[in-house]
Amino acid sequence: MRAQHDTWIRTGEPWSLRELFSTSDCDIADYCREFRPSNFGGQACGEVERYCRAQGIWLDPGGEHYNSMTPYLHPGPISAERLTVIGLFNAILFWLNDTVGREKFGHLPVDAQHRARTDLDRLSVLLESGAAPGDPSPLESATLDFLSRVAAQSDPRWLDRFVSSTRDHLRTAIRDQNARSRGDLLSTSEYIDLRAQVSGMYPAIALCEFGRDHYLSWDQLATAGLAADLCRLQVLTAEIGALMNDMFSFEKECVVDRSDFNLIPVCLLNSPGATLADAVGAAAAIVRDRFAEFRRLHSALTAHCAEPGIAGSELAAQVQVHLADLTGCVQASWVWQVATNRYKGASIFEENLPSGWNESGPMGKDGHR
């Protein structure tokens, strides 16, 4: 795979992720054209950077890139304070990802891997109890601060679900997920399920409710026959975000960090004799199919909320707000990854080339839509 990648870089034409993700009836760039990140982004990102630098958990040069994701993935919060809390959570997860996460874990010395597992156990206990250990690390102190802020401003039932989702994410993210370390090869469907957990997209989706201070009533949704479809739409949102990221971050993860826990090598490993081009095509089809299903199910739920008996109700309003947030997550998964420099460099994908896209692409010279 890496040999074919190197050859493609030298002699091949870069693939367009825009073309790979778009369907015959929907260009992904057009679908995202009206997207705008949160107006509170500058203030919130500045506060998060100041806090993380003071705590010693800011990473240079990566911090600027991952911090910028918050106002994209969460365009809907009602205040700068709530977006700042979300940004602190993102900074904690990215710090873990970029120091001991799945791409880095296998390269750590044995003693560092042991410390990472110990730190994860302590963090899991902290998340469950909300109590500080006797000697909190800077990361634990930041996590306690985050928990106190979010608990003071959220619905307790939502908070329980959110903390459980975060612990599930950390258990999968802070370990070497490569095939050699696992001792097995995940099927493509098994990989997709695990990758959605590893990505942190489920806690991110839950934080949309916190940002709005507007929480879903799952009992009422079940009674109205909406819970299953809305849950499926959340899964699609998580998978689109995670798998789209796999393609944008392919070089960063699989060429630089030499990981195979990524959709492209998983497609390759599950198809003996396939080429890199085959794997790119198969991976793109998986993202594209989920993008199409997301739009179909989103339209069906929107129509359901307009039906007699539910139209104009508080429950319909809950669903419509959340549908808007899920749309924002999907759009942000495209827009931010096109805009950020986190994945720019020598690439088989046009959008990852350092020059970015010109005026014929989805973004103008100033980098804005």
Side-chain angles (χ1 to χ4, degrees):
M1 181 188 74
R2 294 187 185 100
Q4 290 178 25
H5 171 269
D6 291 345
T7 300
W8 201 278
I9 290 290
R10 294 193 307 271
T11 64
E13 288 293 321
W15 283 287
S16 164
L17 288 171
R18 177 182 183 177
E19 293 180 4
L20 289 172
F21 295 155
S22 296
T23 61
S24 59
D25 62 336
C26 183
D27 182 300
I28 193 165
D30 289 341
Y31 180 81
C32 301
R33 195 170 298 280
E34 300 304 316
F35 176 87
R36 296 292 183 276
S38 170
N39 291 331
F40 300 122
Q43 180 180 346
C45 288
E47 289 294 329
V48 169
E49 180 174 351
R50 283 189 288 273
Y51 178 90
C52 290
R53 286 189 181 278
Q55 289 290 111
I57 59 168
W58 181 262
L59 293 176
D60 282 320
E64 178 183 353
H65 301 318
Y66 62 66
N67 194 29
S68 72
M69 184 194 70
T70 297
Y72 282 83
L73 195 58
H74 292 94
I78 58 175
S79 69
E81 180 183 9
R82 285 180 179 269
L83 187 62
T84 300
V85 173
I86 294 170
L88 176 55
F89 178 76
N90 290 337
I92 290 168
L93 292 193
F94 267 105
W95 188 91
L96 286 166
N97 178 78
D98 284 12
T99 56
V100 295
R102 68 190 190 282
E103 301 120 63
K104 306 294 184 183
F105 194 92
H107 301 296
L108 298 174
V110 173
D111 59 337
Q113 290 184 357
H114 177 72
R115 284 197 304 272
R117 292 191 187 98
T118 301
D119 290 345
L120 175 60
D121 290 341
R122 285 169 54 114
L123 198 58
S124 294
V125 171
L126 185 157
L127 285 166
E128 185 172 8
S129 67
D135 56 340
S137 67
L139 186 71
E140 290 168 338
S141 295
T143 303
L144 282 167
D145 196 359
F146 163 76
L147 285 174
S148 67
R149 295 191 200 189
V150 78
Q153 302 180 62
S154 65
D155 177 85
R157 290 171 299 179
W158 171 87
L159 182 59
D160 287 343
R161 293 194 299 270
F162 168 75
V163 169
S164 177
S165 177
T166 301
R167 293 179 66 210
D168 289 344
H169 158 66
L170 291 174
R171 275 195 293 266
T172 59
I174 312 305
R175 60 164 291 185
D176 187 348
Q177 293 284 9
N178 289 312
R180 180 174 292 138
S181 176
R182 292 180 56 87
D184 66 358
L185 173 61
L186 294 168
S187 69
T188 305
S189 60
E190 289 172 336
Y191 171 79
I192 291 168
D193 290 342
L194 180 57
R195 179 68 179 93
Q197 285 286 356
V198 169
S199 71
M201 281 296 295
Y202 289 121
I205 290 168
L207 281 168
C208 292
E209 297 175 64
F210 171 79
R212 298 271 194 180
D213 197 21
H214 196 269
Y215 304 96
L216 294 168
S217 173
W218 285 100
D219 290 342
Q220 293 181 33
L221 288 167
T223 300
L226 295 170
D229 281 348
L230 194 60
C231 184
R232 174 58 183 167
L233 202 66
Q234 289 184 338
V235 170
L236 288 168
T237 302
E239 291 180 353
I240 289 167
L243 302 177
M244 196 180 288
N245 174 257
D246 272 3
M247 299 195 70
F248 273 100
S249 64
F250 168 68
E251 274 95 8
K252 177 179 178 295
E253 295 178 1
C254 304
V255 177
V256 176
D257 286 332
R258 304 186 72 79
S259 170
D260 60 37
F261 190 75
N262 178 288
L263 184 60
I264 293 174
V266 164
C267 287
L268 196 64
L269 288 165
N270 277 282
S271 301
T275 65
L276 174 60
D278 295 330
V280 167
I286 289 169
V287 177
R288 191 168 59 246
D289 289 347
R290 280 157 176 75
F291 178 46
E293 185 184 351
F294 175 90
R295 289 183 287 109
R296 288 195 302 269
L297 189 52
H298 190 287
S299 296
L301 279 165
T302 300
H304 197 154
C305 288
E307 293 175 355
I310 189 172
S313 67
E314 173 59 28
L315 186 63
Q318 282 185 27
V319 174
Q320 287 164 341
V321 167
H322 198 60
L323 289 176
D325 284 334
L326 295 180
T327 298
C329 286
V330 169
Q331 291 174 326
S333 297
W334 169 259
V335 176
W336 179 73
Q337 293 185 120
V338 169
T340 184
N341 288 324
R342 183 172 171 85
Y343 310 116
K344 296 293 188 284
S347 180
I348 57 176
F349 298 122
E350 183 177 348
E351 290 80 359
N352 280 355
L353 296 175
S355 59
W357 282 36
N358 60 30
E359 291 175 302
S360 65
M363 305 188 78
K365 288 182 177 179
D366 61 355
H368 298 287
R369 295 186 178 279

